[in-house]
Amino acid sequence: MARRPVTVFSCSACGAQAPRWIGRCTECGGWNTLVEEAAAPPSRARGAATPGAKPVPLSGVDAADAPRVSTGHPEVDRVLGGGLVAGSVVLLGGEPGIGKSTLLLQVAARMSATADPVLYVSAEESARQIRMRADRLGVASSRVFLLPETSLEKILEAASGARFSAVVIDSIQTISSAEGLSGAGTVSQVRECAARLAVFAKGGDVPVILVGHVTKDGSLAGPKTLEHLVDAVLSFEGERFHAHRVIRALKNRFGPVHELGVFEMTGSGLVEVKNPSSLYLGSRTAGRPGSAVLAAVEGTRPLLVEVQALTVESKYGTPRRTAIGFDSTRLALLLAVLERHGKLALSGHDVFLNLAGGAESEEPAADLAVVAAVAGSYRGRALPPESALFGEVGLLGEVRAVTDGPLRLREAVSLGFRRVILPAGNAAEASAFPDLEAIPVRSVEELLARTGG
Ligand code: TYD
Ligand code: MG
């Protein structure tokens, strides 16, 4: 009989396993992501089943909404769909230093003020370090219990020892189980620990929040395996261009996805931003001729980007065209369209285009914002206030529909924008957003007519 292999190779990005080392993961295509781990013994109990659960008839299941506890932060509650569900497991992912520990310490303090105490397990920082942060945040509460510990077994023991309204694990990658066969942070340990914490959460009806670090390409270590285990995946992201942070649900079994919570990192922690569009529109450039806010989508992630254009009369025979963050060939093409179909005499002007804050866009949906910014600068006219744009522009001056319309619209609404200028072909998608005034355009001529004659 063939002996079971003693080690397997697991992809540190997606958790896929291979019997021998290969340079590229066959599942996710990641290069050099496979690491050797001890093979798990067969048929180990896994998953989030409640011990000793009995089948119940579907009709006998209580359909009332799962009880929720407020995190004390309305923005976080909204992203979760109305608070933390008892017995649920939430994964909070984000780059190191983005503010995950800060946010959760603030959540722990506010939550415990009106409910049972919160257990904050810190496997990365000492109790003293956390106390110093809490002092800075002004949340040194006696109802937040700290446990600087990396052993899963000890954590579970402490968590079962008293009634807590939530348990925070900071972070899942730094704890390990004595039963695990490999070191902390490996895919199998992360999965094992998360699975056992999920069992604990379900069994005790206590919500568990796991912090997960993301790798530099933006994925959680062992993400695919963890995403299936947890009830909600929240992503904590920094807007590269502003001091604010955005928290969004990527998966949520108990609520909507794509809800946004917006925070600003200040000297005394994260502060909720009630009217986030002010972060864009409050800047001195927004609302001035030559500025247009693009509702972009980067991969699956919506993103608002300010496009700035400047046109000045050329001093030399050949006008200069400079684009930063945007393809210069595409800019030349759009300028030709504006010259021909928009009747703007741009051939005598230098044109400079910049996506503010070092953003880049390669998607055709950026065309309309670029055209609007250039035309705005040339004509000295600002776009309607609080408006965002997206749409592709064709060589005949037509404005073409683009993909991910609802994603772009939802982002604009969430960030407080009131108007959106979009292709007529996407206009139907805007009817789902009654708070948003949709300005559909079919052509560049129509765009120019509707944005100031
Ligand atoms: P932290 O919560 O430690 O990030 P993470 O847990 O995601 O790694 O946040 C660290 C950053 O936040 C650090 O650069 C300092 C900054 N910060 C503030 O600006 N104000 C504050 O009140 C706190 C506590 C941190
Ligand atoms: Mg931290």
Side-chain angles (χ1 to χ4, degrees):
M1 223 170 86
R3 276 204 317 134
R4 275 184 52 78
V6 241
T7 61
V8 292
F9 292 85
S10 306
C11 173
S12 55
C14 74
Q17 294 194 330
R20 60 189 169 79
W21 191 84
I22 38 176
R24 190 176 192 202
C25 173
T26 48
E27 281 297 313
C28 70
W31 288 100
N32 205 17
T33 52
L34 267 71
V35 288
E36 188 171 12
E37 290 183 345
S43 69
R44 285 264 295 278
R46 291 198 184 283
T50 314
K54 287 195 189 67
V56 289
L58 183 56
S59 59
V61 177
D62 183 4
D65 261 0
R68 293 177 186 263
V69 235
S70 167
T71 62
H73 284 73
E75 294 281 297
V76 180
D77 283 353
R78 199 160 45 78
V79 173
L80 286 167
L84 272 174
V85 173
S88 69
V89 183
V90 176
L91 175 66
L92 176 70
E95 285 173 22
I98 201 80
K100 300 178 296 296
S101 305
T102 305
L103 178 71
L104 290 177
L105 198 57
Q106 288 181 283
V107 162
R110 285 214 207 158
M111 218 177 144
S112 60
T114 53
D116 287 326
V118 171
L119 179 64
Y120 191 104
V121 178
S122 177
E124 292 181 358
E125 292 163 299
S126 68
R128 179 192 291 268
Q129 279 174 307
I130 299 168
R131 173 64 207 252
M132 275 158 59
R133 175 182 295 136
D135 281 343
R136 187 171 164 190
L137 299 173
V139 297
S141 158
S142 60
R143 298 180 61 76
V144 176
F145 285 78
L146 290 183
L147 179 67
E149 183 56 72
T150 56
S151 150
L152 176 74
E153 284 73 22
K154 291 193 184 141
I155 293 168
L156 287 174
E157 194 188 314
S160 328
R163 181 77 209 160
F164 292 110
S165 58
V167 175
V168 175
I169 309 287
D170 188 1
S171 67
I172 186 69
Q173 278 118 332
T174 44
I175 64 169
S176 59
S177 158
E179 284 177 32
L181 297 158
S182 32
T186 56
V187 179
S188 65
Q189 273 286 6
V190 166
R191 196 168 35 202
E192 169 85 20
C193 292
R196 287 184 47 202
L197 285 161
V199 172
F200 163 78
K202 300 278 178 304
D205 254 1
V206 181
V208 173
I209 305 175
L210 308 175
V211 170
H213 291 293
V214 299
T215 53
K216 35 179 198 317
D217 64 348
S219 61
L220 292 150
K224 294 224 169 74
T225 40
L226 272 195
E227 277 174 20
H228 292 122
L229 264 170
V230 300
D231 298 301
V233 180
L234 306 185
S235 162
F236 201 35
E237 299 158 6
E239 287 291 337
R240 276 174 292 176
F241 326 116
H242 301 276
H244 66 275
R245 307 271 188 275
V246 171
I247 185 169
R248 68 177 82 228
L250 302 180
K251 161 186 171 169
N252 194 352
R253 283 188 185 143
F254 301 108
V257 283
H258 303 305
E259 276 285 357
L260 282 190
V262 184
F263 295 88
E264 198 176 345
M265 184 59 105
T266 69
S268 53
L270 291 154
V271 179
E272 287 165 15
V273 177
K274 296 269 156 44
N275 180 14
S277 72
S278 61
L279 289 170
Y280 292 91
L281 305 169
S283 73
R284 270 171 288 124
T285 50
R288 299 237 315 252
S291 165
V293 177
L294 159 69
V297 171
E298 209 176 67
T300 56
R301 170 158 149 31
L303 185 77
L304 293 174
V305 177
E306 187 187 349
V307 179
Q308 299 184 331
L310 178 65
T311 62
V312 285
E313 243 173 90
S314 287
K315 296 276 180 293
Y316 307 100
T318 318
R320 290 184 63 184
R321 272 93 175 79
T322 306
I324 301 171
F326 191 76
D327 182 43
S328 47
T329 312
R330 190 134 194 113
L331 174 64
L333 186 151
L334 294 173
L335 294 179
V337 170
L338 266 174
E339 176 114 27
R340 175 70 179 272
H341 300 282
K343 311 273 185 297
L344 305 187
L346 286 163
S347 52
H349 281 70
D350 294 340
V351 177
F352 303 92
L353 187 83
N354 182 28
L355 269 58
E360 281 176 27
S361 177
E362 283 177 0
E363 49 163 7
D367 293 352
L368 197 62
V370 169
V371 164
V374 172
S377 175
Y378 180 85
R379 303 194 300 170
R381 289 201 184 90
L383 287 167
E386 306 192 356
S387 58
L389 301 93
F390 65 88
E392 181 179 354
V393 172
L395 281 182
L396 306 180
E398 81 277 21
V399 175
R400 308 162 75 105
V402 296
T403 54
D404 295 321
L407 203 58
R408 300 172 201 274
L409 290 161
R410 198 181 295 113
E411 182 82 356
V413 173
S414 305
L415 288 172
F417 282 74
R418 286 174 208 271
R419 287 174 196 84
V420 66
I421 304 177
L422 77 176
N426 287 100
E429 293 163 348
S431 57
F433 302 91
D435 293 341
L436 205 59
E437 181 194 340
I439 307 178
V441 290
R442 269 171 213 84
S443 62
V444 168
E445 290 94 315
E446 203 177 336
L447 170 75
L448 296 184
R450 300 206 55 174
T451 54

